[in-house]
Amino acid sequence: MTDTTPASPRRNAFPRWLVPAAVILVLGIILYNFFVGAQRRMVEKDEVANEKWAAVESSYQRRADLIGNLVATVKGYADFEQETLTKVIEARSKATSITIDPSNTTPEQFAQFQQAQDGLSSALSRLLVTVERYPDLKANQNFLELQAELAGTENRINVARNDYNTAVKEYNTYIRRFPQSFLAGMYGFEKRTMFKAAEGSENAPKVEF
C-alpha cells in the first residue's frame, strides 16, 4: 500500500526575505559610514584651518602691539620725520580695524584684509629704514629690543600664514573631490580663501639691520 501522506515542510528552510534584507542592511551601514565619515573629516579639516587662522590673528595682534610701543618710542624724538611716523600710525589703524571670519568671507574681503596687513608691513619697513638717519634713536635700547621682537614676529607671521595656507589647501582639495563635493554643498562646507604672495614679496624688506 502506497503512503499518500503529504511531506511536511522543512522546519529549517532559509527564509527568502533574509538575503535582500541583509544586503539592504549592509548597504545602509556602508552609506551611513560614508556620509558620517566624510562629514567628520570635513569638520576636522575645517577645524585645523580655524586653528591655524587663530595663530595668524595672534601674530598680527602681537605685531600691532609692538608697533604701538615702537611708535611711542620714536615720538620721543622731536626731529623725527612726522610724515613717515604718521603713515605707520594710519596703516596700523587700518590693519587693526579690519577683521574677518575666513570660513565665511568673500575673496574680495579676504584680499582687503591682506592688503591692509601688507600695507602695515610696508609702512613699518619704511620707518625702520628712516631710523638709519637717526643714530641716537637707532642706539636706543628700548628701540633695539622692540626692533628685535618685531623681526621675530614678522617671521612668525610668515610661518603662521604658510601653515594656514597648507591647512586650507588640504581642506579645499578634500571638499572639491567627488563625491565629497556633493556632500560638502549639502553640509554647507564652502571653499576657503588662501593668502597670496604680496607683490614684490620676493624682495621684501626686512626689519633687521
Side-chain angles (χ1 to χ4, degrees):
M1 182 175 177
T2 305
D3 185 4
T4 59
T5 303
S8 58
R10 296 175 58 187
R11 294 181 178 180
N12 297 325
F14 194 79
R16 295 181 179 179
W17 59 266
L18 195 57
V19 173
V23 172
I24 293 174
L25 178 62
V26 171
L27 288 176
I29 293 174
I30 291 174
L31 288 174
Y32 175 81
N33 288 336
F34 170 72
F35 276 80
V36 173
Q39 193 266 350
R40 286 177 178 172
R41 284 189 288 274
M42 290 178 195
V43 170
E44 289 171 358
K45 295 179 185 298
D46 190 50
E47 285 302 314
V48 170
N50 287 335
E51 180 182 344
K52 300 302 181 183
W53 175 255
V56 171
E57 284 190 313
S58 177
S59 297
Y60 277 140
Q61 183 58 55
R62 174 173 172 76
R63 180 179 66 172
D65 293 341
L66 289 172
I67 289 176
N69 294 335
L70 185 72
V71 167
T73 300
V74 173
K75 277 184 175 180
Y77 289 77
D79 60 340
F80 191 82
E81 296 180 17
Q82 291 303 309
E83 182 180 356
T84 302
L85 190 60
T86 299
K87 288 182 178 179
V88 173
I89 295 172
E90 292 175 347
R92 178 179 180 273
S93 176
K94 182 177 181 180
T96 55
S97 68
I98 300 177
T99 58
I100 60 172
D101 176 3
S103 64
N104 184 28
T105 189
T106 65
E108 292 75 19
Q109 291 171 329
F110 195 94
Q112 184 182 26
F113 172 84
Q114 180 179 345
Q115 185 179 21
Q117 296 296 341
D118 291 344
L120 179 54
S121 293
S122 297
L124 174 62
S125 176
R126 288 191 293 271
L127 172 65
L128 294 175
V129 169
T130 302
V131 170
E132 282 287 271
R133 298 197 290 270
Y134 298 84
D136 292 343
L137 176 57
K138 186 180 176 182
N140 180 281
Q141 186 62 35
N142 188 41
F143 177 84
L144 291 174
E145 291 176 359
L146 288 169
Q147 182 183 346
E149 289 189 63
L150 278 166
T153 300
E154 288 289 344
N155 289 333
R156 281 194 289 273
I157 287 173
N158 289 332
V159 171
R161 282 171 51 146
N162 288 336
D163 288 346
Y164 175 75
N165 276 355
T166 298
V168 170
K169 182 178 180 181
E170 184 175 343
Y171 164 82
N172 286 345
T173 300
Y174 183 77
I175 68 169
R176 292 174 67 189
R177 287 176 178 165
F178 183 83
Q180 291 93 258
S181 57
F182 169 74
L183 300 179
M186 185 173 66
Y187 291 137
F189 289 93
E190 302 289 342
K191 180 182 177 182
R192 300 177 69 135
T193 306
M194 300 168 60
F195 283 104
K196 296 181 180 179
E199 184 178 353
S201 60
E202 66 278 4
N203 298 314
K206 299 181 180 180
V207 296
E208 297 179 288
F209 298 116

